[in-house]
Amino acid sequence: MSDTSSASPASSTSTLVASVASSPELKAISLEPLEVSEDDKAEALRLKTEANKAFTSHDFPTAAKFYTAAIEKNPNEPTLWCNRAYTRMKLEEYGYALSDATQAIQLDPRYAKAFYRRATCHMQVLKYSAAVTDFKKVLALEPKNDSVRAQLVSTQKLIRKIEFEKAIEMEGEQNPVERCREIIAEGGCDVDKGYAGPQLDLEDGKYKITYKFVKAMIQWFKDGKTLPKRYVWEIVIGAYEHFSKSDSLVYVELEDGVTCDVIGDVHGQFYDMLHLFSLTEEPNEKHYLLMNGDLVDRGSWSIEVILTAFAFKWLYPNYMFINRGNHETKDMNRAYGFEGEAKHKHGEQSYKGVGIGFGPDVTKKWCALNGVTGVIRSHEVRQDGYQIEHNGLCTTVFSAPNYVDQGGNKGAFIRIDSAGNQKYFQFEAQPHPPLKPMAYVQGGLGSMFM
């Protein structure tokens, strides 16, 4: 019952363009079958064909619109709801997808694929027990489906693992940064004498970061190598010291001649991030960078992404800014790969839910209340990399092109100058080593989170 999609070819361009149309809105769901004419059934089938073509081309917003139009013609057809559910999963509109899958089940209580779609939606929003219930429904209908049986077993193991971890967690547990410092002071995390990679400078017994180290570290990562655990800790602690001294809401003044680029989700796509930095420039006194959250998970180079960002924060604390996204959290890291990647590369857990939607009315009230002219947010894929929404008050920027190697979307960043003017730049995905997204998701569940 699995679904496969091919990745789009990578290229290297950047352009300045306008925005695209918004995602489909949720329609009211009727639980009672409606009378549908033969002409409307035929038109629904035609629209479904167009939707399937758009989906195959990874144009998920267009596919969703065609499925929506088909549903309006024939709301009694469960496959239309199920197909739109899968499309909305690709758009990461999981609440809508759950609703669509549920409607398909109500129309056909023996529709195994609809139960499977709903199960995978529950997995995406970390509702593992609900996913188990739906996996069991699939197996009741298709008892020989070994793939779903394996996913059920893996999900049950994941639930037991989470319950065990919660049981052993102690209230008032020591701050992990302080514990790392203690281990370092006790000599428990020294750099291996055989390490021959980039070297942090050591002054008066304390490590210092330099631009030379950062550039050498990036090349070290490109060569497929990892830093020693001690250096990883030093970079994280170096960034932490600056974060901990900052307010939760940071005000940044852009003086004349200074610009700031806002970067959206990167999601562990290290090679795309390096290309992005070649377009934005690295942070400096005349050009600031703001990474707007969701740096990790899904992509299989999340360690390289977060360490590069933290290294620049340690080196240039007044020019490099990093917001925390919903994927910089423990539960999401466990589900979407970063925790597994951290363990694989450095033997450490990542201790770091799912967003809520808001409409133009909320944006307008919030801007008026806080005296601002607009909001720049990330978190959701946009096919052109960015989209101006909510009557110009809200702009979404997404910087992970060809998301998880199958989105077919562009990446983008926004450049803001001292006068508040904004320019929008697009870029395409870059080639990377042959490692699939979600490579470090534990329990064999990686394909379900894509």
Side-chain angles (χ1 to χ4, degrees):
M1 296 190 65
S2 62
D3 299 277
T4 58
S5 302
S6 58
S8 299
S11 59
S12 178
T13 60
S14 61
T15 53
L16 177 64
V17 298
S19 61
V20 295
S22 60
S23 300
E25 294 184 358
L26 184 64
K27 300 293 183 182
I29 296 176
S30 172
L31 301 181
E32 298 295 329
L34 302 176
E35 290 189 12
V36 179
S37 69
E38 293 302 317
D39 287 345
D40 281 346
K41 288 180 181 178
E43 178 63 7
L45 183 61
R46 185 192 71 79
L47 291 166
K48 177 185 176 183
T49 300
E50 293 299 317
N52 292 345
K53 290 179 182 177
F55 188 97
T56 301
S57 300
H58 294 171
D59 187 357
F60 303 123
T62 298
K65 289 179 181 177
F66 276 121
Y67 285 131
T68 298
I71 287 169
E72 289 173 348
K73 291 294 182 181
N74 186 7
N76 299 336
E77 176 51 56
T79 59
L80 298 176
W81 294 92
C82 191
N83 287 3
R84 192 172 72 172
Y86 190 36
T87 305
R88 284 174 159 169
M89 288 170 63
K90 292 295 185 181
L91 293 168
E92 299 192 351
E93 297 174 344
Y94 301 122
Y96 288 169
L98 281 168
S99 177
D100 283 352
T102 298
Q103 178 68 1
I105 290 166
Q106 289 172 338
L107 289 168
D108 183 358
R110 298 188 59 79
Y111 194 0
K113 183 172 283 188
F115 281 109
Y116 182 78
R117 289 276 183 266
R118 196 168 69 176
T120 54
C121 277
H122 284 311
M123 293 292 291
Q124 295 279 3
V125 297
L126 313 185
K127 294 183 178 179
Y128 303 122
S129 295
V132 165
T133 299
D134 278 340
F135 283 141
K136 289 180 177 179
K137 290 281 190 180
V138 175
L139 290 174
L141 294 166
E142 299 181 357
K144 295 183 179 181
N145 194 323
D146 293 335
S147 175
V148 172
R149 191 174 303 280
Q151 291 172 336
L152 170 63
V153 171
S154 295
T155 305
Q156 290 171 325
K157 288 180 179 178
L158 178 60
I159 291 172
R160 289 194 293 271
K161 176 178 181 289
I162 294 170
E163 289 174 347
F164 174 75
E165 290 177 352
K166 288 181 178 178
I168 63 174
E169 283 180 354
M170 293 187 301
E171 191 173 339
E173 194 174 43
Q174 185 179 12
N175 181 304
V177 171
E178 295 303 321
R179 180 57 184 146
C180 286
R181 285 173 172 154
E182 286 183 2
I183 294 172
I184 289 170
E186 294 166 358
C189 193
D190 291 340
V191 178
D192 189 274
K193 292 182 179 179
Y195 171 67
Q199 302 285 329
L200 284 170
D201 287 354
L202 190 61
E203 297 180 8
D204 300 325
K206 292 189 66 176
Y207 282 109
K208 304 288 185 182
I209 195 167
T210 62
Y211 181 71
K212 178 181 177 182
F213 171 83
V214 175
K215 297 300 288 185
M217 178 190 72
I218 290 172
Q219 185 58 52
W220 189 253
F221 288 159
K222 289 172 69 176
D223 293 340
K225 301 175 182 179
T226 59
L227 293 178
K229 186 188 298 183
R230 174 62 179 274
Y231 279 10
V232 172
W233 286 13
E234 292 289 345
I235 292 170
V236 172
I237 292 171
Y240 169 83
E241 289 178 345
H242 293 296
F243 290 134
S244 62
K245 295 173 184 175
S246 299
D247 295 331
S248 58
L249 179 61
V250 178
Y251 290 88
V252 179
E253 294 285 346
L254 297 183
E255 298 179 354
D256 288 345
V258 176
T259 56
C260 178
D261 286 349
V262 182
I263 296 169
D265 304 42
V266 174
H267 278 300
Q269 296 184 197
F270 178 64
Y271 296 88
D272 291 318
M273 185 184 77
L274 295 184
H275 176 57
L276 174 58
F277 281 0
S278 75
L279 301 175
T280 64
E281 297 182 47
E282 294 166 349
N284 59 67
E285 62 182 3
K286 289 293 185 181
H287 186 67
Y288 303 167
L289 291 184
L290 166 60
M291 300 194 75
N292 207 24
D294 284 7
L295 283 72
V296 301
D297 281 339
R298 295 190 182 273
S300 294
W301 292 273
S302 292
I303 285 288
E304 289 79 2
V305 166
I306 200 68
L307 288 180
T308 300
F310 281 178
F312 275 122
K313 181 63 181 179
W314 186 14
L315 180 64
Y316 301 132
N318 297 321
Y319 313 141
M320 180 70 169
F321 302 93
I322 304 172
N323 282 334
R324 181 177 182 176
N326 72 308
H327 276 269
E328 280 75 53
T329 58
K330 181 179 177 180
D331 287 347
M332 298 294 275
N333 295 160
R334 179 192 291 119
Y336 287 88
F338 183 51
E339 179 180 297
E341 181 182 344
K343 288 180 177 180
H344 177 82
K345 294 178 179 177
H346 297 290
E348 288 296 319
Q349 286 192 4
S350 128
Y351 285 97
K352 299 250 258 171
V354 175
I356 59 173
F358 57 93
D361 55 334
V362 174
T363 303
K364 183 178 180 180
K365 290 177 183 177
W366 190 90
C367 289
L369 180 64
N370 291 278
V372 300
T373 58
V375 176
I376 297 176
R377 47 89 66 172
S378 301
H379 181 61
E380 291 181 302
V381 182
R382 292 295 183 264
Q383 287 303 112
D384 277 4
Y386 79 99
Q387 186 173 340
I388 301 170
E389 304 167 282
H390 296 185
N391 301 314
L393 291 177
C394 180
T395 302
T396 296
V397 59
F398 193 84
S399 301
N402 195 30
Y403 186 36
V404 293
D405 284 357
Q406 60 180 257
N409 60 290
K410 293 180 173 64
F413 65 94
I414 303 173
R415 178 161 296 169
I416 307 171
D417 63 19
S418 58
N421 299 312
Q422 298 180 19
K423 291 184 178 180
Y424 307 88
F425 297 87
Q426 292 177 306
F427 61 99
E428 299 283 355
Q430 299 299 292
H432 62 70
L435 185 65
K436 293 182 178 180
M438 311 293 286
Y440 300 102
V441 171
Q442 302 170 70
L445 294 170
S447 62
M448 296 187 63
F449 289 99
M450 291 174 63

